[in-house]
Amino acid sequence: MLRRLLERPCTLALLVGCQFAFVAYFSLGGFRNLTSLFGRAAGPVFDYSRTHDVYANLSRLLPRQPARPDPAQPLPFCPERSPFLVGPLTVSFSRVPTLEQIQAKNPAVQEGGRYQPSTCEPRSRTAVIIPHRNRETHLGHLLYYLHPFLQRQQLQYGIYVVHQAGNSTFNRAKLLNVGVKEALKDEEWDCLFLHDVDLIPENDHNLYTCDPWNPKHVSVAMNKFGYSLPYPQYFGGVSALTPDQYMKINGFPNEYWGWGGEDDDIATRVRLAGMKIARPPISIGHYKMVKHKSDKGNEENPHRFDLLIRTQRMWTQDGMNSLTYTLLAKHLHPLYTNLTVDIGMDPRAGRGRRGPVPGHEGQRYRSSSSLFREEMLRKLPRDAAGWGDQGLSLSPRLPTATVQQPLVGNGTGSSPSLGITQRSPEAAGDSDAHLGSSTGVAVAQEEGILPTRGDNQSLPQGSR
C-alpha cells in the first residue's frame, strides 16, 4: 500500500514541495529571516526627515568640577540605554574636517582614541577596528561622526586604524585579524566592532555593543542599497563579535586579496561554528556611504569563487591560527591608534618579497601552528589537506609580543592631514568590500556552503 501511495503523482509533488520548503527555510537563515521576506519586521519607527546634530548633548557628558567626593567609592553603572541618545543624525560630506577640528570638538577623548565615561561605569568596552589605506578623507569623516556617536552611548571605547603598508593588493579581512590581535594586547575588550572606513552611522540608537550569543551584522540598511538588506546572509560593512565569537570562527580569512568574497566566507564560518547572524532593526541600522571611485590595488578578486568553495573544509586552517604579519609602527594619535603593518603579498600575484617593507624593520609574528600546518600541507595530497574534523582552540587571550617603538615621525611618511602612516603614492586600498562578499555563490552552492537563493550574486565593481 505504501508503494502504491508513493507512486501517485500528487504524493511525489508533496514530497518535492516539502523538501524545497525545508531547503529554503535553512538557506534563508531560519524563521526570522524567512518571515522578514513576507512581512515587515517589528521595530521602532524613526523620522529620518528630522535629523539632529551629531554633537548634540555632548557638553553634558564632559567632566564637571568638583570631582566626586570620595574617589574610592565605585561609580554606579551607566544605564542600559543612555539618556543622551537623539535618534537620526544629520550626516553631510560637503566639508572634510581636519584632525585639529575634530580634536577640539572632542576634548574628553584621550590619546590613542580612547574614551571612558566620567560619571558612571560603562557596561561595554568596545574596540572599533578600521582597515585602511589611502583613505584619509574618509577617515576624517568617520572620526568626526563616530566619536560623539560613541560618547553619547556612554561606552568605554578605543579606535584602531590598521594601515596596510606598501603597494600590494589590499586585504581587508587580514587587516581586521591584525587589528583584533593587536587590540586585545592592549585591553580585554568586551566587543570588537569591525568597521569599514567609508560607512557613517545615521542613528545613535544603533548601539555599538555585541550580542552575547551570536555575531552581529550592524550595517543592515545602507543608502547604496536603498536602506534595505541586499540579501539575508549579507555580512559586509560593519559587524560586531565578542572575542570568544571571533575565535570560535577562527577569525576572518587571510587569503582574500582584492575586492570580493570575504564577507560570504565569514557568514559561512558563522553557520559552520553553530551560530546565527544577529541584526538590529532596519529602522535603526542606517548607514550613509562616502562616495568614491574604485581603487587601484583593490581590483576584483578573480579567485574568490575558488576560495568560497573551499570554505567548508579550510575555515579551521585559514584565519587567526595562520595569521602572519609584521608590525612596522604603532602610533598613538590624538583620536585613534594607528597600526602600520606589512601583511605580505598575494601569492597568486607572482613570486615577490614577503618580508618587511624596505626602510622598515619590524617584528615578524607567526602563529605557533603555521610551521606545522605548512609541513602537513607539503606531505598531504591536495584533496586530503582539509582538517574539517579537527577542533579549533578557542583561547580568548592572544599571545603578547614586544612591539617595536615607532620610528621618528611615525617612520612611514605620515599624511599631513590625519597622520596616516606609510602612504604609498601608487597604492590605493579599500576597506569597503561591502558587496564584494556577494560573489561566487552560484559556484559554491554545489558544496552546500552558501544560500541557494539567486539574489546573492556578484555585482560589477563599479556599482559599489
Side-chain angles (χ1 to χ4, degrees):
M1 180 177 179
L2 180 62
R3 181 179 178 181
R4 223 180 278 170
L5 184 65
L6 292 175
E7 289 177 351
R8 294 181 180 178
C10 60
T11 304
L12 180 61
L14 181 62
L15 291 176
V16 172
C18 291
Q19 184 178 11
F20 175 79
F22 180 81
V23 172
Y25 174 82
F26 286 100
S27 65
L28 294 175
F31 179 77
R32 180 184 301 176
N33 287 334
L34 188 61
T35 55
S36 67
L37 295 178
F38 302 99
R40 181 172 296 179
V45 177
F46 292 96
D47 183 6
Y48 281 88
S49 65
R50 302 180 62 182
T51 57
H52 304 81
D53 178 41
V54 70
Y55 283 91
N57 298 333
L58 195 63
S59 59
R60 296 170 58 188
L61 295 171
L62 296 177
R64 297 190 179 109
Q65 296 295 335
R68 51 187 171 144
D70 186 6
Q73 188 71 18
L75 289 171
F77 278 101
C78 298
E80 291 187 7
R81 185 166 292 274
S82 170
F84 304 108
L85 304 181
V86 297
L89 303 172
T90 304
V91 178
S92 173
F93 306 131
S94 58
R95 294 184 179 181
V96 181
T98 65
L99 180 64
E100 292 74 18
Q101 291 172 338
I102 304 172
Q103 186 178 356
K105 282 182 167 289
N106 296 273
V109 176
Q110 303 299 314
E111 188 179 47
R114 300 294 191 91
Y115 173 82
Q116 182 171 353
S118 61
T119 59
C120 60
E121 187 69 24
R123 292 182 177 269
S124 178
R125 294 172 295 178
T126 299
V128 181
I129 301 168
I130 305 167
H132 173 271
R133 187 171 65 182
N134 291 353
R135 290 291 190 88
E136 285 78 6
T137 298
H138 297 174
L139 182 59
H141 288 306
L142 180 59
L143 293 174
Y144 178 84
Y145 288 101
L146 194 57
H147 274 295
F149 176 92
L150 296 174
Q151 291 173 58
R152 283 206 310 277
Q153 294 186 3
Q154 294 184 299
L155 305 175
Q156 178 181 346
Y157 70 86
I159 296 180
Y160 293 83
V161 175
V162 189
H163 178 74
Q164 180 175 337
N167 59 357
S168 60
T169 307
F170 194 74
N171 191 325
R172 170 181 176 266
K174 190 171 184 179
L175 290 174
L176 290 172
N177 280 342
V178 173
V180 167
K181 186 167 185 177
E182 293 296 326
L184 290 176
K185 291 177 183 179
D186 291 344
E187 190 162 337
E188 294 183 359
W189 300 104
D190 301 323
C191 184
L192 305 168
F193 253 75
L194 313 168
H195 209 298
D196 281 355
V197 72
D198 56 359
L199 286 179
I200 312 299
E202 295 186 88
N203 191 325
D204 60 9
H205 286 267
N206 187 4
L207 301 182
Y208 272 38
T209 58
C210 281
D211 183 288
W213 310 112
N214 295 297
K216 182 168 71 170
H217 177 235
V218 187
S219 54
V220 297
M222 289 188 276
N223 63 332
K224 69 176 289 187
F225 299 137
Y227 290 108
S228 62
L229 192 66
Y231 57 92
Q233 295 303 311
Y234 181 60
F235 203 73
V238 182
S239 54
L241 301 89
T242 67
D244 286 340
Q245 292 167 359
Y246 199 85
M247 297 303 296
K248 191 174 181 180
I249 66 171
N250 193 21
F252 286 5
N254 298 315
E255 302 301 327
Y256 286 82
W257 298 87
W259 179 84
E262 79 279 358
D263 289 333
D264 278 337
D265 189 300
I266 296 163
T268 302
R269 289 168 181 248
V270 171
R271 180 178 62 82
L272 293 174
M275 298 181 289
K276 297 181 179 180
I277 298 176
R279 289 187 174 97
I282 291 287
S283 61
I284 289 180
H286 275 223
Y287 282 80
K288 182 174 287 188
M289 178 184 291
V290 186
K291 293 182 179 180
H292 61 89
K293 298 179 180 179
S294 58
D295 299 311
K296 180 182 177 182
N298 193 43
E299 290 80 10
E300 191 174 86
N301 181 2
H303 308 288
R304 62 192 183 279
F305 302 100
D306 298 331
L307 293 170
L308 282 169
I309 290 175
R310 301 188 316 158
T311 301
Q312 188 162 0
R313 71 174 187 268
M314 294 296 293
W315 71 281
T316 57
Q317 302 174 49
D318 175 22
M320 290 295 283
N321 61 357
S322 63
L323 177 65
T324 62
Y325 65 97
T326 303
L327 179 64
L328 301 178
K330 180 177 181 179
H331 189 81
L332 303 182
H333 290 276
L335 296 173
Y336 62 94
T337 298
N338 188 80
L339 303 171
T340 304
V341 295
D342 174 19
I343 58 173
M345 299 177 64
D346 182 1
R348 298 180 181 86
R351 296 175 180 245
R353 179 194 51 81
R354 297 186 61 88
V357 172
H360 297 280
E361 295 179 358
Q363 173 66 41
R364 167 66 75 179
Y365 293 89
R366 283 183 73 88
S367 167
S368 59
S369 63
S370 60
L371 295 177
F372 174 74
R373 171 176 175 265
E374 292 175 1
E375 181 66 21
M376 293 296 294
L377 290 177
R378 280 196 297 268
K379 293 181 179 180
L380 293 177
R382 182 179 182 85
D383 293 337
W387 297 349
D389 297 332
Q390 180 175 338
L392 179 65
S393 175
L394 305 181
S395 173
R397 298 290 297 168
L398 299 174
T400 59
T402 303
V403 178
Q404 179 187 356
Q405 295 297 325
L407 303 176
V408 177
N410 203 18
T412 53
S414 302
S415 168
S417 59
L418 290 175
I420 299 299
T421 58
Q422 190 64 29
R423 179 174 182 180
S424 170
E426 299 179 357
D430 190 1
S431 65
D432 153 43
H434 307 299
L435 208 55
S437 62
S438 59
T439 55
V441 178
V443 181
Q445 286 171 357
E446 297 179 2
E447 296 283 335
I449 301 173
L450 298 176
T452 56
R453 283 176 54 84
D455 54 355
N456 182 7
Q457 296 295 326
S458 168
L459 295 183
Q461 190 170 4
S463 65
R464 299 173 57 196

